[in-house]
Amino acid sequence: MGDHFQTVVDVDATADEAQVLAARVVEWLVAEGIVLGERTDCVLGRPLGHPPGPNWRRAVEESPDWDPWDGLAVHTERTVFDSGQGGPESVTCPRCETTTPLSGETYDEDYEVSREAEPDNGAWPRFAAAMGTWHETGAATVDCPACARPVALTDWIWEDDHYAFGHLGLEFWNWPELRPDFIQEISRLLGGHRTGYVWGKL
Ligand SMILES: [Zn+2]
């Protein structure tokens, strides 16, 4: 079984808010016994994370047949959270609801297109460039191929929730599926901010 992650992303938090909000959520998770306060080497891609606490079951769907074997990584910098393997198959405009296919196109770490495949509609390079811009500046738009209106990168609807863009992400490594009401509770702790949920594997 490979490593997988589930990331709850606050898509509304500003760069200035992220640290304070992250601390508030972690404090609650520790108080509830869902994770432990003391950080250890229990996550991927970060030096330290919070290992599962005695009450980790409160966060996950009922009766998982396995225990989480890694912990929680907390991200508090501007991050393009993605699902890992492969690229998204399509993206949908929130204005006109037209879906633009992207399948087959992949990119490298610098958001450059590393392989182009069908359909060759030229959409993916523009989204990839916008991701690079967003990562640098915190703002980017992509003109919709269908309605031609500029749409903020963060407003596009991704197939399979492939991406979420934000300054605060709670990344659970190798946990059973998180419960929707647990994610809602986190959203409430974040002051009612909208949250994205990105699932992926390495
Ligand atoms: Zn559109």
Side-chain angles (χ1 to χ4, degrees):
M1 196 168 183
D3 292 299
H4 74 275
F5 56 88
Q6 300 168 80
T7 311
V8 179
V9 181
D10 182 332
V11 298
D12 290 327
T14 64
D16 292 340
E17 294 174 323
Q19 295 270 5
V20 170
L21 291 171
R24 183 194 299 169
V25 174
V26 169
E27 185 180 4
W28 177 77
L29 291 168
V30 171
E32 293 287 313
I34 294 169
V35 300
L36 299 179
E38 189 173 340
R39 297 189 302 162
T40 65
D41 176 12
C42 66
V43 294
L44 287 79
R46 300 252 113 180
L48 295 171
H50 296 274
N55 299 325
W56 60 263
R57 283 181 181 78
R58 288 186 189 169
V60 305
E61 294 284 6
E62 282 178 31
S63 307
D65 54 9
W66 51 280
D67 293 2
W69 70 87
D70 280 316
L72 166 66
V74 180
H75 298 262
T76 54
E77 62 290 310
R78 187 182 300 141
T79 305
V80 176
F81 295 96
D82 73 63
S83 296
Q85 295 179 329
E89 292 199 352
S90 64
V91 65
T92 299
C93 173
R95 300 265 183 93
C96 69
E97 300 182 354
T98 301
T99 295
T100 298
L102 302 168
S103 63
E105 295 171 321
T106 60
Y107 64 99
D108 63 22
E109 289 174 353
D110 297 323
Y111 308 105
E112 301 286 340
V113 174
S114 57
R115 177 173 66 90
E116 287 205 50
E118 296 300 321
D120 186 15
N121 58 12
W124 177 249
R126 293 194 290 116
F127 280 97
M131 284 182 208
T133 301
W134 183 86
H135 194 253
E136 284 175 24
T137 69
T141 60
V142 179
D143 290 347
C144 175
C147 69
R149 283 180 287 192
V151 176
L153 177 69
T154 51
D155 289 344
W156 288 87
I157 301 158
W158 295 92
E159 173 84 13
D160 295 327
D161 298 325
H162 194 89
Y163 290 106
F165 305 90
H167 295 91
L168 168 55
L170 303 160
E171 188 178 58
F172 293 81
W173 279 97
N174 295 317
W175 280 48
E177 188 176 353
L178 299 176
R179 297 159 59 102
D181 58 353
F182 170 70
I183 295 172
Q184 284 170 10
E185 185 69 12
I186 288 177
S187 179
R188 195 185 62 76
L189 285 163
L190 294 169
H193 284 179
R194 295 171 300 154
T195 54
Y197 172 79
V198 174
W199 183 95
K201 59 185 177 181
L202 296 185

